[in-house]
Amino acid sequence: MPLPDAPPYSLVVVKPEESVSTGWAYGQLDAIPDRASHRATGRLEQALRAEDRERLLAFQCNDFELPVFTHFPRIAWLHDELMMAGALAAHLCGSGAAVYGIASDATTAQRIAERLQGRYPYVSTARSLTRAESDPLEGNSL
């Protein structure tokens, strides 16, 4: 049975000056025997099916965070800045170096972005998409 769409989220995406080599990140990830996502994936699916927004936020994880945040403390600090600025959750985008924060609404996302603007090369707000919005075969335009 397909998973339902996640609830809509307002996002702040921030890219610091640092860059993370994807090859390096995967090498570091392969060296971690017990990764968080192995434990959280089932819980995240249950929260999604139950439409439990609070647990959806709590169970999000990115295995790349441990090696990237350890090796790149400024990226870890960016994560902390997003949380201190009001994000409900924050995580590394893929293998890095960008970090996203989830805001309670679009106004809060804009306020968080304004606090970080000028301190990082790229700061932008966005919103999550439904499956239909992100499927080019559906014919929906954004």
Side-chain angles (χ1 to χ4, degrees), residues 76-88 90 111-112 115-116 119:
W77 174 245
L78 168 56
H79 168 276
D80 294 346
E81 282 188 288
L82 281 162
M83 295 299 294
M84 289 185 292
L88 301 172
R111 183 182 49 76
I112 293 168
R115 287 183 68 178
L116 299 176
R119 295 176 28 212

Side-chain angles (χ1 to χ4, degrees), residues 62-83:
N62 183 333
D63 290 346
F64 287 108
E65 289 179 358
L66 177 62
V68 171
F69 289 176
T70 300
H71 192 76
F72 298 92
R74 289 183 55 182
I75 299 174
W77 174 245
L78 168 56
H79 168 276
D80 294 346
E81 282 188 288
L82 281 162
M83 295 299 294

Side-chain angles (χ1 to χ4, degrees), residues 95-140:
S95 61
V99 179
Y100 72 92
I102 299 174
S104 57
D105 54 53
T107 302
T108 303
Q110 187 60 44
R111 183 182 49 76
I112 293 168
E114 288 169 1
R115 287 183 68 178
L116 299 176
Q117 216 98 47
R119 295 176 28 212
Y120 294 97
Y122 177 87
V123 179
S124 184
T125 59
R127 67 176 177 85
S128 59
L129 301 178
T130 65
R131 184 175 293 127
E133 289 175 319
S134 63
D135 185 349
L137 299 178
E138 289 288 325
N140 292 335

